Amino acid sequence: MKLDVDVLRYLSKDDFRVLTAVELGMRNHEIVPTELIDRIARLKHGGTYKVLKNLLKHKLLHHDSSKYDGFRLTYLGYDYLAIKTMVNKGVFVGVGRQIGVGKESDIFEVLCEDGTVLAMKLHRLGRVSFRAVKSKRDYLRHRSSYNWLYLSRLAALKEFAFMKALETHSFPVPKAVEHNRHCVVMSLVQGYPLVQVKQLQNPEVVFETILGIVVRLAEHGLIHCDFNEFNIMIDDDEKITMIDFPQMVSVSHRNAQMYFDRDVECIFKFFRKRFNLSFQESIDDNDGSNEEKDEDGRPCFSEIERSAGFLDKELAASGFTRKDEEDIQRFIEGGEEADNSDSEGDDSAEDLNESNLLPDEEHENKGKHESCEAGESVASEKEDATDENEKEENEMEDEAELNKSLNKQRQRAIAATRRGRKSLASRNSYKDKGGRSSHSSKLQKQLSGW
């Protein structure tokens, strides 16, 4: 759907209030009943149905009356909610032209108050070109039901988190500015997609830089999974910037080696076809590099060491399990114990020497003091455990009450719609069944017969 922001300036507070009410109702409704929208919006002077009609005219909502009378948000309505929130926060003040279209997102230019131009990415999962999200992405995890708006929101959140983390570790990525719902605002990359470049001054240097980024990501515990010429930007100075991060996975993923080899193969294939590179010569010239490579010059996934960090743990990347987290904790604790083993041995020897010099009374006092401290620590641990149990019980009770109230609201809305349908049907059928008018008509017929 084409984004037309001209209507945005003419929408009132009531319009956005009703849009937000539909969004809240879609948490547990595929189609939100009209009565529930009216109850959530709580407009001061009423008029919810008039506002719904206006939003439906601008295609911000979709009407469905197959089971009951209700509405759901469209992607255009979701865009308006995200853009309105960004404008209220002061992130940008205007939306410009569209600069990119993908199978799962649209990219627009936005203007800040100080005149700088940023890029706004709107995720649009569910297009005909990309609907196999459940099999190709891990956004759902343990969930069985979903809608496309919620999946787009998860994709935007994941991309913003990856972009922030990679930026802090000095990876060549756009600067993440802000995100809201399915919208991500980032710095505008002054360059071109690598697929549009026909000639390079130093193709060997660019090739080695791109290959080094893939290896560095693996050393930090991540694999891009879509690292090709369409997701690599290059400027006039041949500086590389990588984009598109929602599909990144951990090196602990069961298909990690396949994804890594596929990324490397995409790079080799592109540079071989486009720039006619002979990779063996360029690799022989750089024998001093630290990258582990096979005989044909490709990096070997099994020989890459995760010495740079654990970004997959920090970001909970796909494929990173709790078992992997426990292994990392053991590794870290083992390294700390090895580093502090000598100092601990010296400290223990000094403590033994000092204890031998103490008299018997001091030994007794010391034993009493230690026993008191042990008793206090046990008591404090018990208190902490009881507090945690009470908190968990309170949270469970709150969730149960919330679910009950939501179910009651849904049942009331469905019952109200059914009542309305019965009343409409009763108006049109069974008119004057056994009433006075039928009795008078019978009398008139009898008189006319006489």
Side-chain angles (χ1 to χ4, degrees):
M1 182 178 288
K2 185 179 178 181
L3 176 63
D4 184 12
V5 293
D6 292 336
V7 183
L8 186 64
R9 68 185 71 178
Y10 302 113
L11 295 181
S12 62
K13 290 183 179 179
D14 290 346
D15 294 330
F16 282 105
R17 193 174 181 88
V18 172
L19 276 178
T20 308
V22 177
E23 182 189 14
L24 292 174
M26 287 183 68
R27 290 182 177 179
N28 48 12
H29 291 83
E30 186 178 357
I31 304 296
V32 188
T34 309
E35 288 78 8
L36 184 59
I37 297 172
D38 186 26
R39 202 171 300 157
I40 296 173
R42 292 182 181 178
L43 298 183
K44 290 183 179 179
H45 306 291
T48 305
Y49 296 93
K50 184 179 179 182
V51 174
L52 287 171
K53 187 178 179 181
N54 183 40
L55 296 175
L56 188 63
K57 180 180 71 174
H58 296 299
K59 299 182 180 179
L60 306 181
L61 294 176
H62 174 75
H63 179 247
D64 191 346
S65 58
S66 58
K67 295 182 179 179
Y68 52 86
D69 189 51
F71 295 84
R72 65 171 174 84
L73 269 177
T74 62
Y75 262 118
L76 188 59
Y78 210 46
D79 295 342
Y80 275 27
L81 285 173
I83 292 172
K84 181 67 174 176
T85 305
M86 291 288 190
V87 172
N88 291 339
K89 286 183 178 180
V91 180
F92 55 80
V93 294
V95 180
R97 63 189 180 94
Q98 187 173 4
I99 58 176
V101 180
K103 65 180 183 296
E104 51 184 321
S105 63
D106 291 337
I107 304 170
F108 298 85
E109 286 183 346
V110 292
L111 183 67
C112 296
E113 193 172 1
D114 57 355
T116 57
V117 180
L118 301 175
M120 178 181 67
K121 184 173 183 179
L122 297 173
H123 289 260
R124 299 194 189 283
L125 297 181
R127 284 176 168 167
V128 177
S129 58
F130 187 68
R131 286 191 173 176
V133 179
K134 193 170 183 180
S135 60
K136 296 182 182 295
R137 298 283 191 270
D138 69 324
Y139 305 145
L140 290 175
R141 295 186 183 271
H142 58 277
R143 304 176 188 89
S144 58
S145 60
Y146 62 93
N147 61 49
W148 295 117
L149 298 180
Y150 183 63
L151 287 181
S152 299
R153 178 176 173 270
L154 292 180
L157 181 63
K158 192 172 183 180
E159 181 165 27
F160 184 81
F162 277 119
M163 211 183 305
K164 273 285 188 185
L166 294 174
E167 181 189 351
T168 56
H169 287 79
S170 303
F171 278 91
V173 297
K175 182 181 178 182
V177 178
E178 187 61 70
H179 81 97
N180 182 264
R181 294 178 174 88
H182 68 314
C183 172
V184 180
V185 179
M186 65 192 83
S187 61
L188 183 64
V189 179
Q190 301 296 333
Y192 324 94
L194 189 60
V195 69
Q196 299 178 4
V197 178
K198 305 297 181 183
Q199 190 175 359
L200 291 173
Q201 295 179 356
N202 301 306
E204 294 86 0
V205 177
V206 175
F207 171 76
E208 288 295 332
T209 303
I210 294 173
L211 206 61
I213 292 172
V214 177
V215 176
R216 272 191 64 202
L217 282 172
E219 289 175 352
H220 282 78
L222 294 173
I223 299 173
H224 192 280
C225 295
D226 198 13
F227 203 73
N228 51 42
E229 61 271 19
F230 297 96
N231 292 327
I232 299 173
M233 305 289 289
I234 186 168
D235 60 6
D236 296 331
D237 298 329
E238 297 186 353
K239 183 181 177 182
I240 299 297
T241 305
M242 62 175 176
I243 57 175
D244 196 14
F245 311 102
Q247 71 284 336
M248 294 183 81
V249 301
S250 169
V251 292
S252 303
H253 196 276
R254 58 182 179 180
N255 298 324
Q257 186 166 359
M258 184 268 289
Y259 290 138
F260 180 84
D261 293 339
R262 187 178 67 181
D263 288 349
V264 173
E265 175 62 26
C266 288
I267 298 166
F268 271 77
K269 186 177 180 180
F270 175 75
F271 276 87
R272 187 188 301 115
K273 286 186 175 181
R274 181 66 58 90
F275 304 109
N276 297 322
L277 281 186
S278 56
F279 302 111
Q280 197 62 39
E281 294 179 2
S282 61
I283 290 160
D284 292 338
D285 295 338
N286 298 319
D287 289 334
S289 62
N290 295 327
E291 298 171 4
E292 300 290 343
K293 300 183 179 181
D294 291 337
E295 295 178 357
D296 60 346
R298 298 169 187 261
C300 184
F301 176 74
S302 59
E303 296 180 0
I304 295 176
E305 296 182 358
R306 295 179 57 180
S307 57
F310 302 99
L311 278 179
D312 53 347
K313 176 191 173 185
E314 296 175 12
L315 301 169
S318 176
F320 184 83
T321 59
R322 185 168 293 180
K323 183 181 178 183
D324 298 326
E325 184 176 358
E326 293 174 356
D327 294 339
I328 289 171
Q329 288 295 332
R330 287 174 194 161
F331 173 76
I332 294 171
E333 291 172 359
E336 290 177 353
E337 289 176 359
D339 292 337
N340 299 327
S341 60
D342 297 334
S343 61
E344 287 178 357
D346 296 336
D347 295 338
S348 61
E350 291 177 359
D351 294 338
L352 285 172
N353 293 331
E354 290 177 357
S355 63
N356 289 330
L357 296 174
L358 292 172
D360 295 336
E361 294 178 357
E362 292 182 1
H363 278 296
E364 292 176 359
N365 294 330
K366 188 176 180 182
K368 291 178 181 178
H369 183 65
E370 289 177 354
S371 63
C372 292
E373 288 181 351
E376 291 175 358
S377 63
V378 171
S380 62
E381 288 177 358
K382 290 181 179 179
E383 290 176 358
D384 294 338
T386 54
D387 293 338
E388 289 179 357
N389 292 330
E390 289 177 358
K391 288 180 181 178
E392 290 178 357
E393 291 176 357
N394 292 331
E395 289 177 357
M396 294 290 288
E397 290 176 358
D398 294 338
E399 289 181 359
E401 290 177 359
L402 181 62
N403 291 328
K404 286 181 181 178
S405 62
L406 290 174
N407 290 330
K408 285 181 180 178
Q409 288 182 0
R410 185 174 65 180
Q411 291 173 1
R412 287 172 186 168
I414 293 170
T417 54
R418 287 174 179 171
R419 286 189 211 116
R421 287 185 176 183
K422 287 179 181 178
S423 62
L424 288 172
S426 61
R427 290 177 190 174
N428 299 326
S429 61
Y430 301 108
K431 289 182 178 179
D432 196 24
K433 186 177 181 181
R436 294 181 180 177
S437 59
S438 61
H439 184 66
S440 62
S441 62
K442 288 180 182 178
L443 289 174
Q444 288 177 0
K445 286 181 181 179
Q446 290 176 0
L447 290 171
S448 62
W450 289 342

